[in-house]
Amino acid sequence: MSKDTGPYVCGLDAAMDVVGGKWKALILWALHDGGTLRFGQLKRQVPGVSEKMLIQHLRELEADGIVHREVYREVPPRVEYSLTEMGEALNTALGPLGAWAHQYMDQILAAKQRDVA
Amino acid sequence: MSKDTGPYVCGLDAAMDVVGGKWKALILWALHDGGTLRFGQLKRQVPGVSEKMLIQHLRELEADGIVHREVYREVPPRVEYSLTEMGEALNTALGPLGAWAHQYMDQILAAKQRDVA
DNA sequence: CCGTATCCCATTTGATACTG
DNA sequence: CAGTATCAAATGGGATACGG
């Protein structure tokens, strides 16, 4: 991930580097507000993601200090994912962006529609 | 760009789809607050970008209704880029994300540093 | 000055099968 | 349940050269 750790020009590209995987926004969204989810639950909350991509993104988010991974050594195995404080703050910071997209959703969809045609 | 226009699960992934190119955040940042820049100026404001990527991202942002492109038919040719209302709103919505990254920059850099090692 | 056109490589993502 | 491993496909991005 994360290309060459080149010095970030502004905070924004650092943030994009952290949150810029195909499913990461969805993962953060699924874990919002103190939610704690198991691997399987998370998979169901992020429709279409493969196990490979889910675990890969989770590992990256964990390495970046965004998600916390708690392993319970039981049978059957149980692993729970939640947001760290830094992750919660990120989610909060993402709020206005989600609101923006919601507000302009019609235009976004129209634009995407046009470029398939 | 923009994969298959699959229905967005939440606003966030629509937003990420719009702003998710390698240099797009930087381009938006360069055009913030009513700024109007020519192609060459923009290129200087986004260090390291190639002309190919700059024009490609600009075209995508234009198609998405984020930037406005104004062509002046003169010699030498002049083209000016600015943000649309939707683009200004996006930039505003990106503010908290930039602030988040700024706040946690040390940890972000430390994480990126670790995974090159 | 403001782009376009190719070619090519790297990274990302997806499909499928398998395991403790 | 919660992952790994392997391979193939798609996408994104950079280098270079050229054009109006």
Side-chain angles (χ1 to χ4, degrees):
Chain A
M1 104 207 220
S2 70
K3 49 210 112 175
D4 62 14
T5 315
Y8 297 122
V9 177
C10 73
L12 229 35
D13 59 339
M16 292 304 302
D17 197 13
V18 170
V19 82
K22 184 168 181 180
W23 311 93
K24 285 186 183 175
L26 262 18
I27 292 172
L28 292 185
W29 176 255
L31 291 172
H32 69 157
D33 288 333
T36 294
L37 295 176
R38 304 180 54 169
F39 183 83
Q41 295 177 304
L42 214 32
K43 185 181 170 185
R44 282 185 290 279
Q45 299 268 344
V46 183
V49 72
S50 68
E51 297 189 342
K52 173 191 164 184
M53 289 312 300
L54 182 55
I55 195 67
Q56 182 176 310
H57 280 168
L58 283 170
R59 292 275 138 92
E60 290 171 1
L61 290 169
E62 189 189 1
D64 285 341
I66 307 299
V67 312
H68 173 70
R69 180 170 179 267
E70 188 74 37
V71 180
Y72 299 88
R73 300 205 154 277
E74 311 168 345
V75 280
R78 179 162 60 107
V79 180
E80 292 187 341
Y81 293 92
S82 55
L83 294 181
T84 62
E85 184 187 342
M86 183 177 167
E88 293 285 2
L90 173 56
N91 220 333
T92 300
L94 251 13
L97 188 57
W100 172 85
H102 184 256
Q103 180 179 353
Y104 290 96
M105 185 60 80
D106 291 352
Q107 297 173 58
I108 296 172
L109 288 175
K112 301 306 179 188
Q113 203 52 39
R114 249 175 281 118
D115 79 39
V116 292
Chain B
M1 101 207 217
S2 72
K3 50 210 114 169
D4 63 11
T5 315
Y8 297 122
V9 176
C10 72
L12 229 36
D13 59 337
M16 292 304 301
D17 198 15
V18 169
V19 83
K22 184 168 181 180
W23 311 93
K24 285 186 183 175
L26 263 17
I27 293 172
L28 292 184
W29 177 255
L31 292 172
H32 70 158
D33 288 334
T36 295
L37 295 176
R38 303 180 54 170
F39 184 82
Q41 295 177 305
L42 214 32
K43 186 180 169 183
R44 282 185 291 278
Q45 298 267 347
V46 183
V49 71
S50 68
E51 297 189 342
K52 173 193 164 183
M53 288 313 300
L54 183 54
I55 194 68
Q56 181 177 310
H57 280 166
L58 283 169
R59 290 276 138 91
E60 290 171 1
L61 290 169
E62 188 190 2
D64 284 342
I66 307 299
V67 312
H68 173 69
R69 179 170 180 267
E70 188 75 38
V71 180
Y72 299 89
R73 300 205 154 278
E74 311 168 346
V75 281
R78 178 161 61 106
V79 181
E80 292 188 341
Y81 293 91
S82 56
L83 294 181
T84 62
E85 184 187 342
M86 183 177 167
E88 293 285 2
L90 173 56
N91 220 333
T92 300
L94 251 13
L97 188 57
W100 172 86
H102 184 255
Q103 181 179 353
Y104 290 96
M105 185 59 81
D106 291 351
Q107 297 174 59
I108 296 172
L109 288 176
K112 301 307 179 187
Q113 202 53 38
R114 249 176 281 120
D115 78 41
V116 294

